[in-house]
Amino acid sequence: YSASSFIDVTVQGAMSVALFLVIPWAITRSLAFRAHNTAWRNVRFHFDAPYGQAFSAYILFPIFGFVSLGTLYPLSLFRERRFVVENAAFGQTPFEMGSGIRDFYSAALAFVIQLIAAGLVVSLAISGAIALGGDALIPVGMLLAIPCYFYVFAYAASQITNLTYGGARLGPHTLHSDLPAAKLAVVYASNAIAILASLGLLIPWSQIRLARLRLSHLTLEASGDLDAFAAGQSSEVASFGSEVGEALGIDIGL
């Protein structure tokens, strides 16, 4: 074990730690840049959060979720979603999250139950295929795992979306989200087929299609005049953080 190998390992370790520490900053700057460049009736959104909160939401609590063998993962997810919602604002009015930790644990329990049910369905299908035609029909039974996978995955994604935005408040106004898992699963599956068939050329189309579905199930229940919002004075947000976020594969937004 030479000195040069030790130096290489040390440098690689230092770079890994540096990248690990820059992720919360990149997420925060990416959210701030996107919010700053989003406006409605000349009133801008903005996002402002300290590094410590970002580190806690995206590094510390996910570690807790991992070492707890998943039992603290709903708490980690709740802290992450609350970080995104409650550090965002429209003009001078901040958002408030409407769901709580109990809601995330209930959704996690429902997800686990559906995952077990999907596994049982696939297992029964494979067993039935073996009983009918022997090992030759096993692939036919396994094909049932694909729609089950898409539905369970879509259920988790729809629940996270609905818990994040459903019930969120903006002053006296309330957001409602009722994204259905079945529709989302169909969009996920058809998008995957389109992307594979086009060798990736239809990725932008699939992203727009997914965004339209999400927005079609997101509504604002207004209580009073929306024109009453006052645009806060916000400084220009540099795009560097957003570019770092793109380079790291981070795609998070409100």
Side-chain angles (χ1 to χ4, degrees), residues 94-154:
F95 285 89
E96 296 179 19
M97 194 164 180
S99 56
I101 297 176
R102 181 178 298 179
D103 300 313
F104 278 81
Y105 269 97
S106 297
L109 178 60
F111 169 76
V112 170
I113 292 173
Q114 294 204 23
L115 188 62
I116 294 173
L120 290 174
V121 169
V122 173
S123 298
L124 290 174
I126 294 175
S127 299
I130 294 174
L132 291 174
D135 294 344
L137 290 182
I138 290 180
V140 178
M142 293 181 66
L143 286 176
L144 188 61
I146 297 176
C148 288
Y149 162 76
F150 274 109
Y151 178 78
V152 173
F153 180 78

Side-chain angles (χ1 to χ4, degrees), residues 37-134:
N37 287 279
T38 306
W40 183 74
R41 293 188 180 180
N42 296 322
V43 179
R44 288 186 181 273
F45 290 81
H46 71 268
F47 184 90
D48 186 23
Y51 176 84
Q53 283 189 20
F55 183 85
S56 175
Y58 288 99
I59 302 297
L60 190 61
F61 275 91
I63 291 176
F64 290 160
F66 177 77
V67 299
S68 67
L69 302 180
T71 56
L72 292 181
Y73 179 72
L75 173 61
S76 171
L77 191 58
F78 165 73
R79 291 294 296 263
E80 175 198 319
R81 296 288 85 196
R82 190 176 69 174
F83 171 82
V84 173
V85 173
E86 297 196 346
N87 287 298
F90 179 59
Q92 295 178 335
T93 307
F95 285 89
E96 296 179 19
M97 194 164 180
S99 56
I101 297 176
R102 181 178 298 179
D103 300 313
F104 278 81
Y105 269 97
S106 297
L109 178 60
F111 169 76
V112 170
I113 292 173
Q114 294 204 23
L115 188 62
I116 294 173
L120 290 174
V121 169
V122 173
S123 298
L124 290 174
I126 294 175
S127 299
I130 294 174
L132 291 174

